[in-house]
Amino acid sequence: MSLILFAFVVRVRDGLPLSASTDFEHNRELQERKHQLRTISKSLAHFPDWGTVKGQQLHIHFTSSEGVSYLSVCHRSLPVAKAFCFLEDLRWEFTARFDSTVVALAARPYPFLEFDSTIQKLKQQYNQSGGPALEVTLAEVQEDLKIRPPQVINLDEVELTNGITNGHAEQSPAAAGKNQRLEPVTPPGILSLVLNIMCASLNVIRGVHLIENTFQDDYEGIWNVGAFFLAFICCVFQCHLYLFHSSQKKLKSFSLLIIIVLCNLYLLGLRNAWQLVFHVVVASLSTFLILTRKLQHRTDDCGV
């Protein structure tokens, strides 16, 4: 049984992947740990030089030095000292081949893929013999661990730190809503948009026409003008609510529907019953579609 399953080398300042071992095992927990490696790698600047994230069967160990961090996914039966000894050997091998200037100038992910062969040899050595060839190295690591034990990292804290680092934590509801995606627009949705635009156009045309008559005769019809334009604004907002996610969608949609109904009832003398029914039905259809259009579920990116 392999005790060291995966190794990962990243740049600390931005979590840029530099190299990784070839993955030959595909169990579910390993894939989860690999996904967590990405989260951890983006938060390394906030953690001490070495730490551990414990899992059910697999643990993550990492150590950082000179702007580069070395991470591994190991079986829980592997002693902690040997896990960090592996990381120390990995660090020596990496720094012997790549200097800090080359690492700092790296601009694309995995620029040192050729280092994979070195990682594989080191993994094979540890998995076959159960530890390093030099017991002196193991003894030094054990002594360091006694003096300065690795910090046990809580994964929830890692994800929170990563969110704050990338500007996604503690967002206001309005800001969070802007980052949500709704389900695709349906044919009934397109129909409701067209009908809503038609109702909005009829309201603004009638309102403008009534303004001319009101200014020429008297100002008694100014409330009718206001009702037409208020209904126009509500139709426009119904289109916006359907197309874009908004907080308190239910409250806003019902409020718009009630205002449209009241405006049309007020304008009953200027509209016949069929026109009133048409406007109310279109507003009701729009409200129903606004409330039934759900947020789109996004799948997590689980690759490393």
Side-chain angles (χ1 to χ4, degrees), residues 34-78:
K34 290 175 65 179
H35 175 65
Q36 291 166 1
L37 282 176
R38 291 190 63 184
T39 305
I40 295 169
S41 66
K42 295 176 182 178
S43 306
L44 287 166
H46 301 274
F47 296 131
D49 291 343
W50 49 10
T52 297
V53 178
K54 293 185 177 181
Q56 186 176 1
Q57 295 293 328
L58 304 178
H59 297 341
I60 296 173
H61 304 284
F62 67 87
T63 181
S64 303
S65 176
E66 299 178 355
V68 178
S69 187
Y70 309 87
L71 307 94
S72 65
V73 178
C74 305
H75 195 271
R76 66 177 185 178
S77 61
L78 181 70

Side-chain angles (χ1 to χ4, degrees), residues 234-268:
C234 289
C235 290
V236 173
F237 271 104
Q238 278 196 322
C239 293
H240 181 272
L241 276 181
Y242 179 74
L243 291 173
F244 304 101
H245 175 71
S246 175
S247 60
Q248 299 181 334
K249 182 171 64 174
K250 183 179 292 187
L251 175 63
K252 293 177 181 177
S253 57
F254 278 121
S255 298
L256 291 173
L257 176 61
I258 292 171
I259 294 173
I260 290 174
V261 171
L262 292 177
C263 286
N264 280 277
L265 288 175
Y266 184 81
L267 296 170
L268 184 58

Side-chain angles (χ1 to χ4, degrees), residues 177-194 196-197 234-247 249 253 256 285-296:
K178 292 179 181 179
N179 294 327
Q180 300 292 333
R181 300 184 84 181
L182 293 167
E183 293 175 346
V185 176
T186 60
I190 297 174
L191 175 62
S192 73
L193 289 172
V194 172
N196 230 329
I197 293 172
C234 289
C235 290
V236 173
F237 271 104
Q238 278 196 322
C239 293
H240 181 272
L241 276 181
Y242 179 74
L243 291 173
F244 304 101
H245 175 71
S246 175
S247 60
K249 182 171 64 174
S253 57
L256 291 173
L285 175 63
S286 297
T287 301
F288 172 76
L289 293 173
I290 289 169
L291 296 176
T292 55
R293 191 178 183 207
K294 305 297 183 183
L295 289 173
Q296 191 172 25

Side-chain angles (χ1 to χ4, degrees), residues 121-185:
K121 291 178 182 178
L122 202 56
K123 275 179 54 184
Q124 186 177 11
Q125 175 185 336
Y126 274 76
N127 287 331
Q128 289 181 351
S129 64
L134 298 176
E135 294 297 333
V136 177
T137 305
L138 180 59
E140 290 175 353
V141 172
Q142 287 174 330
E143 188 64 27
D144 288 341
L145 290 175
K146 289 179 182 178
I147 299 173
R148 192 163 49 97
Q151 179 177 335
V152 178
I153 307 296
N154 186 312
L155 191 61
D156 293 336
E157 295 176 359
V158 173
E159 292 175 346
L160 177 61
T161 303
N162 184 41
I164 294 174
T165 302
N166 291 280
H168 299 303
E170 299 180 357
Q171 287 183 319
S172 65
K178 292 179 181 179
N179 294 327
Q180 300 292 333
R181 300 184 84 181
L182 293 167
E183 293 175 346
V185 176

